[in-house]
Amino acid sequence: MSKKKYTVLLLVMAMASACGRASTPAPVTTPGNGGDTTKITTPADPATAATIGFFLNNWHPRTFTAPDYKTGTVPATTTTEVLVDASTIVSKLTPTLFGNNANPYMTQMVTQSTLMGHITNLHPGIIRFPGGNISSVYFWNAAPGNPPADAPAKIQDANGNATDPGYWYGNNDVGYTLSLTNYYNMLQQTGNEGIITINYGYARYGTSADPVAAAAHLAADWVRFDNGRTRYWEIGNESNGTWQAGYRIDPAANKDGQPEIITGELYGKHFKVFADSMRKAAAETGKQIYIGAQMLETAPASWANNTDKNWNSGLLQQSANSPDYYIIHSYFTPYNTNSTPAEILATGTSNPKGMADYVAQCWQTAGTTPKPIALTEWNIFATGSKQMVSQVAGVHAAIVLEELMKRGYGMASRWDLANGWNNGDDHGLFSQGEAASGETKWTPRPAFYYMYMLQKTQGDRVINASVTKGSADILAYASTFTGGQLQAVLVNKGSTSESVALTFKNFKTGSRYYWYTLDGGSTTFSRTVSINGEGPASGTFGGPASYTTIKAYGADAGQGIKVTVPPLSVTILQMEKQ
């Protein structure tokens, strides 16, 4: 080749390179000591998953600020290695995944300064109401003893027995309950927003000539009254359940020919009536709302009743693409079973994937469009060893939240802020102060601290992390900040301490890293949790009173990122960038 031709060829290649898409260097794997000179690239954000959708609308970048720290102890050697891959963004972090549930039997809330302070600090973002089974007997605009004229004095239970419905009312100012006004006040004062569960049961047990229209009109009036304060609404609560008001009705008292037992097909038909009325009401206010329909999260067992077996198919056939999103619930562990820590924690990884896969399969079978998924109730059903109020419930909560981020869920709200002691089988994040519990009122349970610390340290984009060597008891998760810093979460599901080293793709650490370790100690189901060695004053339940100001551990990153993770614990790291 002549020198002239060679020069022309080089020029053409240079022009092609300049005009074409810039090449991205291969991601670099580095121990984090900053010695590698390979350029770090900024990965592109992926398209928003259909299962997240509009729940990402309120996303905002998070700023990393190096925490106050005290010198931490770094293991000399490590047995487990975790690779954190910052070369690809899994998703922007959905801000509506950290929600919780309020209920009408946990006081007026705004009168409880201790509780309000904890909720403000936790900042769940979403607080559901009236939540649970009460939704099916709740009349938002009525005073005690004054239900609608077509709400019967007795309703049918699952066996066809006439029972007292136990109606609840939004206009109730007595101390034990939560009025609708104070629900709104609580949201405003704590900086959260709501999701409201509409009384669908009334469309079934109402005795008017058109009970569906009556119930839908009541729901639409609530939308008008709400006037844009609430964006997220759901029609009914676990309406397929035999325990739910409206599951079974008295056909002789019904005037529009509804069947005695609820079906998914019937619920799907009724959903469209509710949604149409509520959307018209929202249009009158000029505000956007999103309305969710109930699906079952797993395939019904062979012994399940026909309502459950045909619920999803009937709903999807009749509602078509009318729902803005789909609601599921899960209590993860087998009902009323004395589950071990290993059994409980295993569900944290298996259930989020299994539920998302099953819902997607139902959509595909029905030919409906994928929509956002909202897990509006979740917790554990394990009983007998005070599992619900233990540090294991906290570790489980951390796993579930991280898995929901990975699996593309749009919303989640844990059940619930406060419940009842019941010998430790208590879903409440805070104690109601029953004498048998030994706790003072509004004492946070261990799960509170795990959820608080996870949100406090979280980045704004989810990335992948995986164990590449060593213990299978370690789970690894990670996120990045818009500024390029990184957070990693290490969960130890096992019964022995593990020493872990982190390596990275497409990330080089700065001079220092920080971490918080949440540890319940040596008790299998401990009612206490310490953060970086600071625990509760009493030593028997709860966590440190100073949880908002606890110093991180810090260490020099020059020799790599290494940390010790105690058994049944969570360690959260934050890393400066170079």
Side-chain angles (χ1 to χ4, degrees), residues 203-509:
R204 292 276 293 146
Y205 56 71
T207 58
S208 68
D210 192 343
V212 180
H217 180 74
L218 183 64
D221 280 347
W222 195 347
V223 172
R224 293 184 182 93
F225 175 81
D226 182 88
N227 193 29
R229 284 176 286 184
T230 304
R231 290 183 294 169
Y232 310 118
W233 301 74
E234 56 180 351
I235 309 303
N237 173 80
E238 299 175 3
S239 299
N240 62 292
T242 58
W243 54 89
Q244 208 67 222
Y247 169 80
R248 186 171 192 154
I249 62 171
D250 179 2
N254 175 256
K255 296 182 175 63
D256 67 342
Q258 292 188 44
E260 184 176 19
I261 304 296
I262 186 70
T263 67
E265 182 179 9
L266 185 70
Y267 171 79
K269 291 178 180 178
H270 291 171
F271 177 90
K272 290 188 291 186
V273 177
F274 274 80
D276 183 61
S277 295
M278 293 168 67
R279 286 173 179 142
K280 287 179 179 176
E284 293 171 16
T285 69
K287 307 295 179 16
Q288 174 73 60
I289 65 170
Y290 302 96
I291 306 172
Q294 307 164 56
M295 289 183 70
L296 300 190
E297 79 283 6
T298 57
S302 58
W303 43 262
N305 60 37
N306 286 332
T307 294
D308 285 351
K309 287 181 177 178
N310 300 307
W311 184 268
N312 284 1
S313 59
L315 159 68
L316 294 172
Q317 177 189 13
Q318 290 299 323
S319 67
N321 290 313
S322 179
D324 294 311
Y325 64 100
Y326 290 98
I327 298 148
I328 58 175
H329 290 177
S330 177
Y331 285 80
F332 282 78
T333 61
Y335 180 71
N336 201 28
T337 299
N338 200 346
S339 304
T340 66
E343 291 168 338
I344 294 169
L345 299 183
T347 67
T349 52
S350 62
N351 284 31
K353 181 180 185 303
M355 294 186 299
D357 288 347
Y358 178 68
V359 169
Q361 175 189 325
C362 291
W363 290 336
Q364 183 177 21
T365 301
T368 54
T369 303
K371 298 286 183 70
I373 300 174
L375 178 62
T376 62
E377 283 187 30
W378 66 272
N379 207 304
I380 57 174
F381 264 151
T383 59
S385 296
K386 299 181 174 60
Q387 293 99 322
M388 297 178 189
V389 295
S390 75
Q391 97 284 16
V392 174
V395 177
H396 181 265
I399 296 172
V400 169
L401 289 170
E402 292 290 350
E403 290 289 332
L404 296 180
M405 296 176 207
K406 283 177 56 177
R407 305 296 173 188
Y409 282 71
M411 177 196 280
S413 48
R414 193 173 186 266
W415 182 267
D416 57 352
L417 291 174
N419 215 321
W421 175 242
N422 193 25
N423 197 33
D425 298 334
D426 184 349
H427 285 133
L429 199 64
F430 303 101
S431 171
Q432 294 254 39
E434 299 96 328
S437 73
E439 303 156 326
T440 57
K441 197 165 190 175
W442 309 127
T443 295
R445 269 59 185 269
F448 168 86
Y449 299 93
Y450 291 82
M451 298 175 76
Y452 169 80
M453 293 303 300
L454 193 64
Q455 293 180 76
K456 176 181 178 178
T457 59
Q458 198 77 50
D460 51 42
R461 290 171 171 84
V462 181
I463 60 173
N464 287 314
S466 58
V467 175
T468 57
K469 174 186 175 182
S471 176
D473 287 329
I474 295 294
L475 300 175
Y477 306 95
S479 64
T480 58
F481 293 82
T482 293
Q485 302 85 3
L486 191 145
Q487 178 233 35
V489 178
L490 304 176
V491 179
N492 186 353
K493 301 186 298 175
S495 57
T496 59
S497 186
E498 299 289 345
S499 55
V500 182
L502 275 63
T503 59
F504 305 92
K505 283 186 178 180
N506 201 44
F507 178 79
K508 291 185 288 187
T509 62

